[in-house]
Amino acid sequence: MNKKSVAVVMGGYSDEYKVSLKSGQLIYDSLDRDLYNVYKVVILKEEWYFLDDRGQKAAINKADFTVSLSSGFEVKFDVCFNIIHGKPGENGELQAYWNTIGQKYTGCDFYQSALTFNKKDTLAVLSKYGIPSAKSIYLRLGEDFDENQIVEELGLPLFVKPNQSGSSLGITKVKEQSELKNALEFAFAEDEEILIESFLDGMEVSVGVVDFNGETIVLGITEIVPDKEFFDYEAKYEGASEEITPARIDDETRKRVEDISKRAYEALGMSGFSRSEFIIMNGIPYMLEMNTNPGFSPASILPQQAAYYGISIKDLCGNEVEKALTKK
């Protein structure tokens, strides 16, 4: 049998690259060696490189995403397994480049990546499909704003967050108006566009949705119980939260969350892994954001949900590769 060559592409241009390397390692370890020749490719701002089993690097040829090894052997990848969190793998840049050179890849297309990376635009599109979200104010760097008006319109506490950033970087929960200026500066350090959102007092849940064997399925609903004020970077990646799968919700609410999560996934024309965040308030799920390349390290939520659903990581990852191989 002619094995297909799969590059597990990890890294990225943001602080999330450390998480991406762990996610990439799990996928690298999980792909079926009877079906695929599996390689590692790391993309960082300063360099793109192929990493062999001995830890030796070889530069990626950006003209066609191939690599020439010292042995004289050139590797051309049948599929790139994209597991970069943040830029350039989760905002559409990498997908657009791969489309241009004719390279097949896993996950959603460049448009869906670019759209979902922009929280404001995602929520605006999904509102047309009856999916509610928090009341919000959008600001660009350098725009004038009135602190009193913001607080009057959204109330306190409120959240300030970068519009295009992952892993809860740059987010602040503002309890007093005096904290607002510093929160804005903190968010603007991550992105030139920010969202200021009203506080939703309810249960936070994270919902994994994938297309598996031709069907859109909800892998699980995970309840997030952060040790801190909210589900920030430390809570997500440094163990400062309790994650309970399945979430402690009644069947009616569970059904509502599953239906809205599927509707969002299909409305956006998604493919591949996704993890959507909601706050459930009075039985209604309010959407916060959708991640198209969520964390996939052993401690991450999506692998936990797959295990709960009964799909092995090997099958979940293999399904992504097979879909990419048949994609036109």
Side-chain angles (χ1 to χ4, degrees):
M1 186 185 73
N2 184 23
K3 289 186 185 180
K4 298 297 185 182
S5 297
V6 180
V8 181
V9 183
M10 59 191 95
Y13 298 168
S14 74
D15 290 342
E16 296 178 86
Y17 82 91
K18 297 171 190 171
V19 182
S20 174
L21 295 179
K22 292 179 182 177
S23 299
Q25 185 65 51
L26 178 58
I27 290 166
Y28 177 83
D29 292 340
S30 301
L31 283 167
D32 190 340
R33 295 312 196 267
D34 290 337
L35 299 176
Y36 313 116
N37 293 316
V38 187
Y39 305 99
K40 290 182 184 177
V41 172
V42 179
I43 288 182
L44 302 173
K45 265 185 183 173
E46 57 273 15
E47 58 179 339
W48 294 18
Y49 60 87
F50 173 96
L51 193 64
D52 70 17
D53 293 338
R54 296 165 298 163
Q56 299 295 309
K57 296 179 183 179
I60 292 289
N61 181 349
K62 293 183 182 179
D64 57 5
F65 210 75
T66 59
V67 60
S68 298
L69 304 180
S70 55
S71 60
F73 184 63
E74 183 181 80
V75 182
K76 169 73 176 164
F77 307 110
D78 294 297
V79 172
C80 288
F81 200 119
N82 176 20
I83 196 62
I84 289 177
H85 312 317
K87 296 179 180 180
E90 203 171 3
N91 69 338
E93 290 177 20
L94 201 54
Q95 292 89 336
Y97 155 71
W98 280 331
N99 284 353
T100 301
I101 63 169
Q103 172 66 61
K104 292 184 175 182
Y105 56 89
T106 62
C108 58
D109 206 348
F110 78 94
Y111 172 74
Q112 284 77 12
S113 295
L115 175 62
T116 52
F117 202 67
N118 186 308
K119 297 181 181 74
K120 172 182 70 76
D121 290 352
T122 302
L123 297 174
V125 169
L126 291 178
S127 69
K128 309 297 184 189
Y129 293 86
I131 297 173
S133 59
K135 191 175 182 183
S136 64
I137 292 172
Y138 168 76
L139 276 182
R140 296 181 74 92
L141 185 63
E143 276 186 346
D144 291 331
F145 61 89
D146 184 329
E147 285 189 13
N148 293 324
Q149 186 180 344
I150 290 170
V151 171
E152 187 177 326
E153 194 170 326
L154 300 180
L156 288 170
L158 53 78
F159 278 97
V160 178
K161 58 179 70 171
N163 187 41
Q164 300 186 79
S165 174
S167 293
S168 298
L169 296 168
I171 298 182
T172 305
K173 183 178 181 181
V174 174
K175 297 178 183 175
E176 305 288 340
Q177 186 169 328
S178 60
E179 301 167 356
L180 184 57
K181 186 172 180 290
N182 284 342
L184 294 173
E185 289 176 359
F186 185 51
F188 276 131
E190 291 289 334
D191 188 20
E192 293 185 352
E193 307 170 30
I194 65 168
L195 277 182
I196 310 168
E197 293 182 337
S198 62
F199 174 60
L200 297 171
D201 190 7
M203 176 193 290
E204 181 163 358
V205 295
S206 189
V207 187
V209 182
V210 298
D211 49 334
F212 187 78
N213 290 340
E215 181 185 357
T216 301
I217 60 171
V218 175
L219 288 175
I221 302 171
T222 299
E223 178 183 347
I224 308 297
V225 186
D227 295 344
K228 303 179 71 180
E229 286 278 353
F230 62 97
F231 196 41
D232 63 359
Y233 183 93
E234 185 182 352
K236 278 185 178 176
Y237 300 120
E238 296 172 12
S241 69
E242 185 180 3
E243 296 158 7
I244 302 166
T245 309
R248 297 169 295 185
I249 52 179
D250 59 73
D251 283 345
E252 185 182 346
T253 304
R254 177 187 55 77
K255 179 85 165 52
R256 196 175 291 133
V257 173
E258 287 179 349
D259 288 348
I260 278 186
S261 300
K262 281 186 183 179
R263 194 190 319 156
Y265 187 94
E266 291 173 347
L268 296 177
M270 275 294 300
S271 178
F273 300 158
S274 82
R275 198 190 68 226
S276 296
E277 319 297 336
F278 296 89
I279 299 287
I280 303 173
M281 193 166 67
N282 301 322
I284 305 297
Y286 291 81
M287 190 163 203
L288 300 177
E289 63 178 346
M290 181 185 288
N291 301 286
T292 57
N293 257 359
F296 210 79
S297 70
S300 297
I301 290 172
L302 202 72
Q304 293 177 36
Q305 292 174 337
Y308 167 74
Y309 191 90
I311 299 176
S312 69
I313 301 302
K314 178 180 173 183
D315 287 345
L316 196 63
C317 294
N319 180 67
E320 289 304 305
V321 172
E322 292 305 313
K323 278 189 306 183
L325 284 168
T326 58
K327 191 160 59 175
K328 292 180 181 179

